[in-house]
């Protein structure tokens, strides 16, 4: 059988180059067991593309995360994703003999990677329009080219620090701290802006943005002081984190409970993120309460704590609206509060209650940071008792019957169990469901089976 033509190979190579990693792996699996000469050539093309990407990842490792936006939305130095393959093609074309060394072990692969980064920087200086074609905001493009070239010039220093990154984030000893400070001294010697640029590259490798503060404060004995850090070139990282807290505090303040549970998850994530950042700031830095940073942190903490307290109060009221009680008279003048079994089991009131209870159940960590954990625990205990009592009374009403719609009444009991799930009262929710299941089973009359026989 004839193999692929030259045109096919060119087209497939271009197509595979555009495939995301997930799609490329899927193609690799699909052709792995296919027979025939064309399939064999296809496997070779896929294998070459995978090897090319692995080499790119290894050579440009210090910069690769900078070609995608941060998941947490914190401002960072980033470059358009389509620039990376162009940059790699230019670098590998300039030094093709180095590529095979990337497949080996240290130190040859590391040396080859550093030289390929230098080749990439030279390609940008010689042919910037080939790497980053003109179009759009030319000022931003020129700034991006300058930043990218500077990062490539310093890639060998960032690469030196990457293996120790996890150590520096935990409890480094004296030698490890000395290693970090020596690295940043070398960065400052390489370029006047070398230290913050290498820190930016390390920042790109941290999924949790606030951890960069641990690196910053280790670079100097006095870096943890507000006054020193605010005057240093590292201050931008603190500004970004506080800006992230302010942004999320605004979203939390504007949150209105409703049927969109995705928004609830987003607000819970915002609470957790702000709690993590403010907690790390408290541990890492010593803020002057009168400084701009100190005031910003204090205001954000007050805004978030106030909104959390109000949402806890709203959750209590929302449960009352979703599972209302009504005053029922019996035995003449006597009356008591009983579940309103005609209440809807779905709708805006139910969705609002469930969304707020999800927040109550998930807010343990943030509530501690913002001084609301006592109120949250009290609310969880009170709601647990109320919901159990509601379910028991509803079951009693069904048992004493008749009720207008028994199926609907059991739906309200299940809603009470779901509310218990949301505040993480799993044992109470299980109890409610078990009692409801028992109540649904019809009681057989004594001797019914023999009469049926």
């Amino acid at each position: 059988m004839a193999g692929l033509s030259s045109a096919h190979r060119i087209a497939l190579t271009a197509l595979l180059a555009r495939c995301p990693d997930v799609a490329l792996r899927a193609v690799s699996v699909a052709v792995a067991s296919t027979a025939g000469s064309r399939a064999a050539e296809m496997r070779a093309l896929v294998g070459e593309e995978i090897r090319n990407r692995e080499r790119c990842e290894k050579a440009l490792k210090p910069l690769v995360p900078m070609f995608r936006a941060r998941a947490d939305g914190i401002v960072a130095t980033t470059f358009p994703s389509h620039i990376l393959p162009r940059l790699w093609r230019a670098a590998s074309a300039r030094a093709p003999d180095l590529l095979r060394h990337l497949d080996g072990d240290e130190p040859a692969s590391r040396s080859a990677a550093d030289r390929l980064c230098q080749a990439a920087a030279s390609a940008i200086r010689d042919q910037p329009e080939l790497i980053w074609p003109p179009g759009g905001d030319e000022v931003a493009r020129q700034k991006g080219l300058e930043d990218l070239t500077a990062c490539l010039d310093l890639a060998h220093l960032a690469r030196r620090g990457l293996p120790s990154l996890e150590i520096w984030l935990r409890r480094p000893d004296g030698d490890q701290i000395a290693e970090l400070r020596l690295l940043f001294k070398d960065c400052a010697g390489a370029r006047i802006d070398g230290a913050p640029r290498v820190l930016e590259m390390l920042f790109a490798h941290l999924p949790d943005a606030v951890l960069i503060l641990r690196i910053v404060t280790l670079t100097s004995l006095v870096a943890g002081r507000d006054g020193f850090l605010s005057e240093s070139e590292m201050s931008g990282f603190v500004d970004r984190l506080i800006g992230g807290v302010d942004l999320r505090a605004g979203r939390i303040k504007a949150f209105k409970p409703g049927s969109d549970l995705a928004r609830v998850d987003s607000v819970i994530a915002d609470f957790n993120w702000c709690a993590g950042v403010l907690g790390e700031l408290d541990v890492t830095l010593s803020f002057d309460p009168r400084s701009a940073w100190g005031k910003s942190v204090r205001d954000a903490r007050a805004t978030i704590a106030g909104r959390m307290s109000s949402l806890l109060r709203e959750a209590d009221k929302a449960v009352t609206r979703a599972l209302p009680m009504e005053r029922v008279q019996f035995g003449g003048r006597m009356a008591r509060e009983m579940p309103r079994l005609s209440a809807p089991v779905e709708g805006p009131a139910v969705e609002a209650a469930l969304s707020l209870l999800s927040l109550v159940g998930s807010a343990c960590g943030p509530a501690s940071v913002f001084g609301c954990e006592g109120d949250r625990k009290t609310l969880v205990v009170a709601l647990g008792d109320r919901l159990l009592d509601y379910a028991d009374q509803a079951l009693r009403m069904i048992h004493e019957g008749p009720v207008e719609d028994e199926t609907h009444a059991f739906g309200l009991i299940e809603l009470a169990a779901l509310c218990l799930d949301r505040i993480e009262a799993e044992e109470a929710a299980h109890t409610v469901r078990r009692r409801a299941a028992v109540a649904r089973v019809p009681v057989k009359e004594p001797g019914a089976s023999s009469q049926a026989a």
Side-chain angles (χ1 to χ4, degrees):
M1 182 181 293
L4 296 172
S5 67
S6 297
H8 285 153
R9 293 179 64 85
I10 292 171
L12 285 172
T13 299
L15 182 62
L16 292 173
R18 291 176 175 270
C19 283
D21 290 342
V22 174
L24 188 63
R25 286 194 294 270
V27 173
S28 178
V29 171
V31 301
S33 57
T34 306
S37 59
R38 291 186 178 180
E41 290 187 62
M42 184 66 177
R43 283 194 292 273
L45 289 175
V46 173
E48 182 61 30
E49 178 60 27
I50 291 174
R51 183 164 54 253
N52 182 60
R53 293 189 187 190
E54 289 173 347
R55 287 172 171 176
C56 174
E57 179 78 24
K58 193 169 187 177
L60 303 180
K61 183 177 180 179
L63 286 81
V64 167
M66 304 177 82
F67 289 91
R68 53 182 177 266
R70 288 191 62 87
D72 54 21
I74 296 299
V75 176
T77 299
T78 57
F79 310 107
S81 58
H82 68 272
I83 301 299
L84 180 58
R86 291 172 177 271
L87 183 66
W88 174 241
R89 282 197 299 270
S92 54
R94 284 182 173 238
D97 294 340
L98 294 174
L99 299 180
R100 60 186 176 86
H101 295 293
L102 293 174
D103 303 328
D105 298 325
E106 299 280 357
S109 64
R110 178 171 172 173
S111 175
D114 289 341
R115 290 171 63 187
L116 282 162
C117 285
Q118 295 170 9
S122 298
I124 294 176
R125 291 187 175 97
D126 295 342
Q127 296 178 299
E129 67 285 345
L130 186 65
I131 309 298
W132 194 323
D137 189 343
E138 185 59 24
V139 174
R141 173 178 171 271
Q142 291 297 330
K143 177 67 165 57
L145 286 167
E146 178 185 340
D147 290 340
L148 182 54
T149 306
C151 288
L152 287 166
D153 286 339
L154 295 163
H156 63 291
L157 293 169
R159 195 189 312 277
R160 195 175 100 195
L162 285 177
S164 301
L165 190 56
E166 287 295 324
I167 296 172
W168 294 332
L169 294 175
R170 293 174 185 167
R171 293 183 178 274
D173 58 28
D175 291 340
Q176 291 160 344
I177 294 174
E179 177 192 357
L180 172 64
R181 292 177 181 166
L182 178 60
L183 171 64
F184 277 86
K185 182 179 179 181
D186 291 343
C187 293
R191 282 180 62 110
I192 191 171
D193 58 353
R197 286 195 182 277
V198 169
L199 197 61
E200 196 75 51
M201 283 188 270
L202 297 179
F203 182 54
H205 288 262
L206 298 177
D208 192 354
V210 73
L211 294 179
I212 196 64
L213 293 180
R214 301 185 186 182
I215 306 295
V216 170
T217 53
L218 287 175
T219 60
S220 171
L221 292 172
V222 293
R225 299 178 190 169
D226 185 335
F228 170 84
L229 188 56
S230 63
E231 298 297 328
S232 77
E233 68 273 16
M234 309 297 191
S235 63
F237 291 101
V238 182
D239 289 333
R240 295 181 217 177
L241 291 169
I242 292 177
V245 171
D246 289 340
L247 175 66
R248 287 162 174 78
R251 292 204 299 247
I252 290 169
K253 187 175 181 180
F255 168 68
K256 296 187 182 303
S259 60
D260 188 357
L261 295 182
R263 284 202 64 207
V264 180
D265 292 340
S266 176
V267 169
I268 292 171
D270 285 345
F271 271 122
N272 285 319
W273 194 90
C274 290
V277 170
L278 292 175
E280 187 69 31
L281 285 170
D282 287 343
V283 171
T284 310
L285 301 178
S286 299
F287 283 124
D288 181 346
R290 298 164 297 180
S291 69
W293 284 346
K295 184 178 184 304
S296 293
V297 168
R298 186 173 62 253
D299 291 348
R301 191 184 294 274
T303 297
I304 297 171
R307 185 56 178 147
M308 179 171 282
S309 295
S310 68
L311 287 172
L312 293 176
R313 292 192 296 271
E314 286 182 35
D316 192 18
K317 297 174 184 176
V319 171
T320 300
R321 290 191 292 268
L323 295 171
M325 306 286 280
E326 59 184 358
R327 196 166 184 80
V328 177
Q329 285 191 335
F330 63 98
R333 295 183 179 180
M334 297 183 65
R336 65 179 178 182
E337 294 290 321
M338 303 285 286
R340 185 189 301 162
L341 297 185
S342 60
V345 295
E346 57 185 18
V350 171
E351 297 295 344
L354 291 175
S355 65
L356 281 166
L357 291 177
S358 293
L359 194 149
V360 171
S362 304
C364 178
S368 297
V369 173
F370 297 114
C372 305
E373 179 58 9
D375 293 340
R376 193 195 73 87
K377 282 186 176 178
T378 301
L379 176 62
V380 167
V381 171
L383 285 176
D385 292 341
R386 278 175 53 193
L387 291 165
L388 268 174
D389 184 62
Y390 177 94
D392 286 343
Q393 289 197 56
L395 285 169
R396 191 179 304 115
M397 293 171 70
I398 293 172
H399 176 71
E400 294 173 355
V403 297
E404 185 175 342
D405 188 341
E406 187 173 300
T407 301
H408 185 82
F410 276 111
L412 287 170
I413 294 170
E414 172 57 28
L415 177 57
L418 187 57
C419 288
L420 288 166
D421 284 334
R422 294 300 174 93
I423 60 173
E424 300 184 356
E426 291 89 355
E427 186 175 343
H430 178 68
T431 298
V432 168
R433 291 191 173 99
R434 185 179 67 248
R435 291 174 181 174
V438 171
R440 281 179 180 271
V441 178
V443 178
K444 293 183 178 180
E445 295 291 338
S449 58
S450 61
Q451 291 175 2

